[in-house]
Amino acid sequence: MELIQETADLSAYLTADEVIDHHHPLVRETAAHLASTVADSYAYAQAAYEFIRDTIPHSADSGDSRVTWRASDVLEQRTGICHAKAHALAALLRAEDIPTALCYQKFDMVHGLIAVRFNGGWHRQDPRGNKPGVDARFSLDGERLAFTLDPESNEMDYPVLYAEPHPVVLRALKAARDREHLWETLPTAL
């Protein structure tokens, strides 16, 4: 699948906003700590990925009913669904000047992940979190995502790389009273 940038301006994939708030002190502190443990930007990207994947539980797996959507809130509250974890990872990567896009897949609901730019290309990563049957890995040499698509079930990849969260997804996250309510309102397609 060919990934398509929403905008040709690569700097759009480095910006901070209300959601990917990489200017927030907690995001900066976390990024600085992770950066101090590695030698280069490739190792940093993998460390940030593993930090989000492994230390921020997916709220459905942990039974946490809170809904987070802002990167700093994900880091502070230590919980989030796939979209929230993607926002947090994007913030950590952008904090270290690594272009990062948000991207999506369609299963029963829209699933969120990121794409990171290295070596002149985009590489999708899924920080959802592993569990039995899910073994996502950071990889620049072929995708190691959480889920395999079943085209016969109408599952699909969306090829667009967004600089900001898709408005339909963000609206559902912001409006959700709790995770149970979010499952009822999260879009099933973009």
Side-chain angles (χ1 to χ4, degrees), residues 8-189:
D9 181 5
L10 200 55
S11 69
Y13 298 97
L14 292 168
T15 61
D17 59 26
E18 175 189 29
V19 179
I20 302 171
D21 58 343
H22 65 74
H23 56 278
H24 189 279
L26 181 55
V27 177
R28 300 305 272 179
E29 176 184 309
T30 305
H33 170 72
L34 291 169
S36 73
T37 67
V38 296
D40 58 31
S41 61
Y42 300 103
Y44 173 81
Q46 182 170 354
Y49 169 85
E50 290 172 354
F51 174 80
I52 296 297
R53 183 195 66 191
D54 298 342
T55 70
I56 308 291
H58 189 286
S59 57
D61 295 346
S62 67
D64 195 325
S65 65
R66 294 175 294 169
V67 175
T68 53
W69 51 269
R70 182 179 290 118
S72 58
D73 292 341
V74 173
L75 295 176
E76 179 185 0
Q77 296 179 36
R78 310 296 270 194
T79 190
I81 67 163
C82 57
H83 300 287
K85 292 178 67 153
H87 299 164
L89 180 55
L92 289 176
L93 294 170
R94 289 181 183 186
E96 292 295 314
D97 295 321
I98 298 171
T100 307
L102 299 167
C103 44
Y104 302 93
Q105 294 177 307
K106 179 192 179 302
F107 294 100
D108 291 338
M109 290 181 257
V110 173
H111 176 62
L113 48 154
I114 65 112
V116 62
R117 188 163 178 88
F118 277 115
N119 302 325
W122 290 99
H123 308 273
R124 293 190 311 166
Q125 312 295 326
D126 190 341
R128 181 225 179 271
N130 289 338
K131 64 179 187 173
V134 176
D135 186 27
R137 303 276 178 203
F138 182 84
S139 176
L140 300 177
D141 300 318
E143 294 183 335
R144 297 285 310 271
L145 304 179
F147 305 111
T148 303
L149 296 173
D150 178 10
E152 291 182 18
S153 297
N154 204 25
E155 296 175 352
M156 63 181 280
D157 286 313
Y158 291 104
V160 177
L161 300 172
Y162 295 91
E164 299 174 353
H166 194 284
V168 173
V169 171
L170 186 57
R171 223 176 359 262
L173 288 166
K174 285 181 165 185
R177 296 182 303 271
D178 55 29
R179 188 175 36 80
E180 293 76 19
H181 180 246
L182 180 61
W183 284 169
E184 296 170 9
T185 60
L186 200 60
T188 57

